Amino acid sequence: MKGKKLALHWKIILGMVLGVAFGYLMLQFGWGKSFVQDWIKPWGTIFINTLKLIAVPLIIASLIKGVADLNDISKLSKMGTRTVGIFLLTTMTAVTIGLVLVNLVSPGSLISENTRTELMESFGTQVDQKMENVEAVKEFGPLDALVDIVPENIFAAASSNGNMLQVIFFVILFGIGLILIPKDKGTPVMQFFEGVNEVVLKIIDLIMLAAPFGVFALLSALVVESPSIEVFKALGAYAFTVLLGIAILIFVFYPTLVKVFTGMNYRTFFKGIAPAQLLAFSTSSSAATLPVTMERVEEHLGVEKEVTSFVCPVGATVNMDGTSLYQAVAAVFISQAFGDNVTLMEQLTIVLTATLASIGSAAVPGAGLLMLVIVLESIGVNPAGIALIFAIDRPLDMCRTVANVTSDATVAVLIGKSLGKLGPPKVKEWDDNKSQTG
Ligand code: ASP
């Protein structure tokens, strides 16, 4: 009998722990930092690139098949409205949890005048550079978000991972066309995309073989590039508030939703989704994690392709609970640090603007920080205050991305259940090494 192999998530965790240890070790040597940056970090970048590379082909192949499999346009619109409704509910709940916590902990009042001035001085210029990108966002009209979803050229849209919603729009239209034409004409097209989808899933299996090494490289680079521990201490109460909120989302809110509405237990849910969570943490990007999220939700949580192929890519682009919670906490924190009180009316404004800003945030590292400007301006706080939280943003970004990805998986499971498309997982946990064993 063959011995049981280590499950994928353990291998990834091992890669992460070794990566952190290696980063610390290298910091002990004068040449260590540049060694990691020159010889280790690029492997992490290559790993992320391979994941991103597969995202657009995956969306196209699986969503065309998913929409066509629904066989009925009314089912599609039912799934669409439910998905958007649940996305909004989870995001608003996240903002509310963030606001309650930040009011209880009040981290902004703990920051001293000195630390505030120091942080503003050290990070002010970096923030100014970033803010230039936001100016364009602020000039948007009310319907521009909708206009942006409809591409004028599908090849142009598919050439950038930032245009995922545009690709999704085209693919849904294509799928609808496919439902409406005679079966004998549609079947070969369907079969083609089914084949492409299989190939793409196989490629993801192959990429995941490299995941433990990829996260090793990413985390060792993060360690050598991280700011001094002093900054972390100064912002400890703020970081604690964000992390507590994110932990509540990940460990209480989502598994409870899943348990109550589908009966799936805690262990199955986490074992199924863990590799995607670990990748989200290591890459800080829901978009880069998307291929793995889709594969895990489908094969390990048992949600059918019709649902995952729609809910996961849309979720990766618009559903960011971790980001919205963080934006709420950060907005109040910055305001408190400047000595202002945030009124109840302003807190309600935050619920609205943080929800919208998280929808507008791209699924890439640091996007949530940029969109925070919009939340700050809505309550009249100087956006330059972002300098206060700049230094500690990356570790928090890693954690909020885990919440974002877990939320997409949760909503996929809920929608799957509500449409009768949640079955037993296709891959059992002991099968986890299917790709390794062939
Ligand atoms: N990095 C996050 C994500 O990709 C977005 C953010 O909050 O910055 O989901």
Side-chain angles (χ1 to χ4, degrees):
M1 203 177 82
K2 219 187 259 173
K4 195 180 162 198
K5 283 201 180 179
L6 207 55
L8 181 61
H9 58 272
W10 286 118
K11 289 187 187 165
I12 300 180
I13 290 176
L14 198 64
M16 292 165 79
V17 172
L18 292 177
V20 171
F22 183 74
Y24 275 118
L25 180 70
M26 285 296 113
L27 278 180
Q28 311 312 313
F29 305 103
W31 47 267
K33 182 172 176 181
S34 55
F35 174 79
V36 172
Q37 284 176 322
D38 291 345
W39 294 99
I40 307 291
K41 190 178 175 185
W43 297 105
T45 312
I46 291 174
F47 173 64
I48 294 193
N49 285 355
T50 53
L51 283 169
K52 288 185 180 162
L53 173 72
I54 211 67
V56 170
L58 175 66
I59 293 177
I60 294 179
S62 79
L63 192 53
I64 286 181
K65 182 166 165 12
V67 173
D69 274 351
L70 280 175
N71 250 328
D72 176 351
I73 295 171
S74 70
K75 276 194 205 149
L76 181 66
S77 68
K78 198 165 155 196
M79 181 163 76
T81 32
R82 279 190 198 172
T83 305
V84 172
I86 303 184
F87 279 164
L88 279 176
L89 272 179
T90 59
T91 306
M92 287 175 135
T93 310
V95 180
T96 312
I97 294 176
L99 284 177
V100 170
L101 291 179
V102 76
N103 281 300
L104 288 177
V105 181
S106 191
S109 48
L110 301 173
I111 195 162
S112 74
E113 180 82 39
N114 270 351
T115 322
R116 196 182 80 194
T117 324
E118 255 173 51
L119 288 169
M120 291 297 284
E121 278 170 8
S122 341
F123 296 99
T125 30
Q126 293 183 46
V127 169
D128 286 346
Q129 283 164 7
K130 289 222 161 208
M131 297 251 285
E132 282 166 19
N133 303 335
V134 187
E135 290 308 313
V137 178
K138 284 192 305 191
E139 277 153 26
F140 265 19
L143 288 185
D144 282 359
L146 279 185
V147 175
D148 260 4
I149 294 179
V150 186
E152 52 178 304
N153 182 311
I154 182 57
F155 295 103
S159 71
S160 154
N161 283 356
N163 291 336
M164 235 129 42
L165 278 186
Q166 298 191 342
V167 176
I168 291 171
F169 177 84
F170 173 78
V171 171
I172 290 178
L173 215 54
F174 192 94
I176 292 176
L178 204 54
I179 294 177
L180 296 177
I181 62 172
K183 263 221 145 27
D184 59 322
K185 297 274 184 329
T187 308
V189 182
M190 277 277 279
Q191 281 171 342
F192 170 76
F193 283 109
E194 249 179 79
V196 175
N197 190 49
E198 285 298 312
V199 175
V200 172
L201 287 177
K202 196 63 193 171
I203 297 177
I204 296 171
D205 276 348
L206 294 177
I207 298 174
M208 287 310 279
L209 291 180
F213 303 99
V215 296
F216 173 93
L218 289 169
L219 287 195
S220 60
L222 270 176
V223 169
V224 298
E225 289 173 351
S226 67
S228 82
I229 197 83
E230 294 309 311
V231 180
F232 287 94
K233 278 192 200 141
L235 294 169
Y238 157 70
F240 168 79
T241 315
V242 175
L243 292 179
L244 181 63
I246 289 176
I248 292 175
L249 286 181
I250 297 176
F251 298 110
V252 183
F253 182 53
Y254 302 132
T256 309
L257 278 182
V258 168
K259 177 81 194 162
V260 170
F261 290 102
T262 75
M264 185 185 290
N265 69 36
Y266 205 83
R267 211 176 131 81
T268 313
F269 181 67
F270 279 105
K271 273 189 119 178
I273 198 65
Q277 292 177 316
L278 295 169
L279 274 194
F281 184 81
S282 309
T283 61
S284 275
S285 167
S286 324
T289 313
L290 176 65
V292 182
T293 316
M294 286 174 73
E295 198 253 359
R296 299 303 297 191
V297 172
E298 202 178 309
E299 306 218 337
H300 295 255
L301 297 181
V303 182
E304 286 178 29
K305 187 186 303 303
E306 293 95 297
V307 175
T308 51
S309 63
F310 176 77
V311 177
C312 296
V314 176
T317 2
V318 303
N319 181 42
M320 300 199 182
D321 300 356
T323 303
S324 67
L325 180 145
Y326 140 86
Q327 285 170 334
V329 174
V332 176
F333 167 74
I334 293 172
S335 174
Q336 286 171 347
F338 282 144
D340 296 334
N341 255 335
V342 186
T343 63
L344 189 65
M345 201 52 215
E346 284 169 342
Q347 308 231 11
L348 290 177
T349 311
I350 293 179
V351 175
L352 193 72
T353 48
T355 302
L356 293 176
S358 70
I359 292 175
S361 301
V364 296
L369 180 74
L370 288 182
M371 297 301 278
L372 178 58
V373 171
I374 293 175
V375 185
L376 289 175
E377 292 204 324
S378 74
I379 55 167
V381 174
N382 181 359
I386 285 185
L388 294 179
I389 56 167
F390 196 85
I392 205 179
D393 200 60
R394 183 63 194 237
L396 299 183
D397 189 4
M398 296 160 77
C399 299
R400 61 188 190 244
T401 309
V402 179
N404 294 347
V405 165
T406 313
S407 173
D408 299 338
T410 303
V411 177
V413 172
L414 297 184
I415 298 284
K417 176 74 182 178
S418 84
L419 297 177
K421 298 206 173 289
L422 178 69
K426 294 191 194 80
V427 178
K428 298 281 187 292
E429 205 39 51
W430 52 87
D431 242 3
D432 211 343
N433 295 289
K434 64 189 169 84
S435 47
Q436 284 97 319
T437 50

